[in-house]
């Protein structure tokens, strides 16, 4: 007749007798109290915790002490028992304590166990088995706590991703309610920071891959970002001072690498997140129209796509062309300057032809074109600027004919 070793020796799976196990069970409450007392004595930050939180740690420690006895009785269920014992606790502690602090609490509790439990053993063999069991149990508790913190972090990450998507969606749809700003603040965004919106194609159909790519690029340029994938487009909001000058170009170029192949359009930099919908609207308008400029740089500013946007029916682009180019040339520059620009454009950009048509010296044409460039920011001798000037003057004439100007 086969007998188990436990039946023959009177000891359990860990080499402990039933009497010792009962002693351990009776001592669990005292161990928990001693562990909390050690925490109060050795950990200064523990005493600064509210009474409710310290009471939660006491309950956790009591559950751990009771779970240790159950663990000793049946080591095959060790992982399940330890995880069950600490299942709810790390979810609460993660709001109060860091993982490092929690592991410190576990380590200190295990030290108390090592100091007080061996004296309950019946002999040296049980004492050695008990010390070994304490060390193994402490290791499994630490792993269980780390696993619970990791699960909590993943849950918070998923919630943050949903919250971030709501913020970006609100910006794209032009919502300026306080809820959008408060959600952004909850994500660590400074609502008063400057904001620039970039739009383009996402680098992957896998959302985690997109998030990783964008976050990696943002970390390299050292700027906070908000991101959202909306169908076939990726929207990124970049925080920071106005993105102009050499540093600004580096920032936009660096973030454009987070997009897939294809055009990337940057809206204007606005003063705060509350105005980011203006940047988003112009960036999206530019993304729809950029196909009209095959040689557009990457990224391209929405302001540089005014001709294509106007041809695509963007009323804001038409307004900007009239306000920034057509009106200054027609109302501020005087007829000679306007006539020179129009004649130069109609002559195909040939300086001498323009001069002969106007019966002036070529140097006079050069001077007037420089004056027009100073006034509008567009140089008629540059092919791209020449197109912008031509479209702006055409849009201005059409608006005037409709009585809109």
């Amino acid at each position: 007749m086969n007998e188990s070793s436990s039946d023959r020796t009177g000891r359990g799976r860990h080499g402990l007798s039933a009497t010792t196990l009962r002693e351990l069970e009776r001592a669990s409450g005292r161990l928990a109290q001693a562990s909390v007392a050690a925490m109060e004595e050795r950990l200064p930050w523990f005493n600064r915790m509210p009474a409710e939180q310290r009471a939660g740690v006491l309950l956790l420690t009591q559950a751990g002490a009771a779970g240790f006895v159950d663990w000793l009785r049946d080591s095959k269920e060790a992982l399940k028992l330890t995880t069950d014992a600490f299942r709810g606790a790390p979810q609460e502690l993660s709001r109060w304590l860091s993982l490092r602090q929690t592991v410190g609490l576990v380590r200190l509790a295990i030290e108390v166990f090592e100091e007080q439990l061996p004296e309950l053993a019946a002999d040296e063999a049980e004492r050695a088995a008990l010390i070994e069991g304490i060390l193994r149990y402490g290791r499994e508790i630490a792993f269980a706590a780390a696993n619970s913190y990791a699960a909590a972090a993943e849950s918070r990450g998923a919630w943050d991703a949903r919250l971030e998507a709501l913020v970006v969606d609100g910006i794209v749809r032009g919502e300026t309610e306080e809820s959008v700003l408060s959600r952004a603040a909850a994500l660590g965004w400074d609502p008063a920071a400057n904001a620039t919106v970039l739009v383009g194609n996402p680098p992957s159909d896998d959302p985690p891959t997109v998030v990783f790519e964008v976050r990696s690029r943002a970390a390299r340029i050292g700027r906070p970002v908000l991101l959202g994938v909306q169908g076939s487009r990726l929207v990124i909001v970049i925080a920071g001072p106005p993105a102009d000058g050499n540093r600004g170009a580096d920032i936009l170029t660096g973030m454009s690498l987070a997009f897939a192949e294809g055009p990337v359009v940057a809206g204007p930099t606005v003063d705060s997140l509350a105005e980011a919908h203006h940047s988003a609207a112009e960036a999206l308008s530019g993304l729809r129209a950029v196909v009209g400029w095959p040689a557009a740089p990457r990224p391209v500013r929405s302001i540089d796509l005014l001709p294509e946007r106007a041809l695509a029916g963007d009323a804001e682009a038409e307004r900007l062309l009239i306000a920034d180019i057509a009106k200054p040339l027609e109302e501020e520059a005087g007829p000679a300057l306007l006539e020179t620009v129009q004649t130069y454009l109609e002559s195909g950009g040939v300086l001498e032809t323009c001069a002969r048509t106007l019966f002036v010296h070529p140097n006079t044409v050069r001077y007037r074109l420089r004056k027009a460039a100073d006034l509008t920011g567009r140089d008629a001798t540059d092919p791209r600027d020449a197109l912008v000037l031509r479209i702006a003057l055409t849009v201005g004439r059409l608006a005037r004919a409709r009585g809109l100007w």
Side-chain angles (χ1 to χ4, degrees):
M1 183 175 180
N2 294 329
E3 291 182 330
S4 67
S5 59
S6 177
D7 292 336
R8 291 196 306 269
T9 64
R11 299 180 186 271
R13 294 181 183 273
H14 288 272
L16 301 175
S17 65
T19 301
T20 299
L21 290 173
R22 285 195 297 270
E23 289 295 325
L24 293 173
E25 191 169 13
R26 284 194 290 268
S28 61
R30 173 170 56 83
L31 285 171
Q33 294 285 354
S35 298
V36 173
M39 295 171 190
E40 292 175 345
E41 179 182 353
R42 304 182 197 178
L43 301 175
W45 55 263
F46 185 79
N47 292 318
R48 294 193 294 268
M49 293 174 61
E52 179 184 357
Q53 297 175 9
R54 292 199 303 272
V57 173
L58 175 60
L59 292 175
L60 169 65
T61 310
Q62 289 173 340
F68 177 54
V69 180
D70 293 334
W71 183 87
L72 289 171
R73 287 197 174 102
D74 192 351
S75 60
K76 289 184 178 180
E77 297 294 323
L79 182 59
K80 178 180 181 298
L81 289 170
T82 53
T83 302
D84 288 347
F86 282 77
R87 178 175 294 169
Q91 296 177 358
E92 297 176 0
L93 285 181
S94 64
R95 295 196 296 267
W96 311 330
L97 306 173
S98 66
L99 175 59
R100 178 176 297 181
Q101 290 174 319
T102 300
V103 172
L105 294 179
V106 172
R107 180 183 292 112
L108 193 51
I110 294 303
E111 290 178 2
V112 173
F113 281 28
E114 290 179 326
E115 293 171 359
Q116 299 194 16
L117 287 183
E119 66 184 25
L120 301 178
D123 52 36
E124 288 299 323
E126 284 198 0
R127 183 186 298 272
L130 190 57
I131 293 175
E132 180 184 355
I134 292 171
L135 296 176
R136 291 178 57 192
Y137 183 69
R139 181 185 62 190
E140 292 183 5
I141 286 293
F143 283 141
N147 185 62
S148 296
Y149 267 81
E154 289 179 357
S155 177
R156 286 195 299 271
W159 171 252
D160 287 351
R162 290 192 293 270
L163 192 63
E164 186 174 12
L166 288 174
V167 172
V168 174
D169 183 64
I171 291 172
V172 169
R173 289 191 289 117
E175 296 179 358
T176 57
E177 289 85 354
E178 189 64 30
S179 60
V180 174
L181 302 181
S182 63
R183 288 169 180 166
L187 294 169
W189 183 280
D190 179 7
N194 298 115
T196 307
V197 176
L198 274 77
V199 294
N201 299 320
S204 171
D205 294 331
D206 180 40
T209 300
V210 176
V211 172
F212 175 78
E213 184 67 24
V214 174
R215 298 292 184 212
S216 298
R217 295 295 175 184
R220 292 179 188 179
I221 67 173
R223 290 288 185 88
V225 298
L226 297 171
L227 69 105
V229 178
Q230 300 181 332
S232 61
R233 69 189 183 196
L234 170 62
V235 181
I236 300 177
V237 186
I238 306 176
D244 54 11
N246 294 332
R247 176 59 179 160
D250 291 342
I251 290 170
L252 294 181
T253 301
M255 283 309 303
S256 70
L257 297 176
F259 293 84
E261 292 296 326
V264 177
V265 181
T269 299
V270 294
D271 292 335
S272 68
L273 192 65
E275 303 172 66
H277 61 282
H278 296 301
S279 181
E282 294 208 22
L284 291 171
S285 173
L287 187 63
R288 290 188 292 268
V290 70
V291 65
W293 186 11
R298 175 188 160 103
V300 58
R301 281 284 199 172
S302 60
I303 193 69
D304 295 327
L305 289 165
L306 288 179
E308 290 77 16
R309 290 167 55 191
L311 293 173
D314 184 347
E316 177 63 14
E318 294 182 13
R319 186 192 68 79
L320 290 172
L321 286 171
I322 293 173
D324 296 343
I325 298 176
K327 276 190 176 182
L329 283 176
E330 294 197 21
E331 296 181 354
E332 301 176 29
L337 206 60
L338 174 61
E339 183 184 18
T340 300
V341 172
Q342 290 177 329
T343 304
Y344 180 81
L345 294 175
E346 293 299 329
S347 66
V350 180
L351 193 69
E352 291 74 12
T353 302
C354 176
R356 286 196 301 270
T357 303
L358 295 175
F359 299 103
V360 297
H361 194 277
N363 286 340
T364 302
V365 175
R366 292 188 182 94
Y367 172 76
R368 290 176 181 177
L369 292 180
R370 284 198 299 270
K371 292 286 289 185
D374 293 339
L375 190 63
T376 64
R378 302 289 179 173
D379 182 3
T381 63
D382 177 81
R384 177 65 189 178
D385 283 353
L387 173 64
V388 176
L389 288 166
R390 183 182 292 273
I391 296 297
L393 292 173
T394 302
V395 168
R397 287 191 289 267
L398 291 173
R400 187 185 292 277
R402 296 195 303 265
L404 302 178
W405 171 14

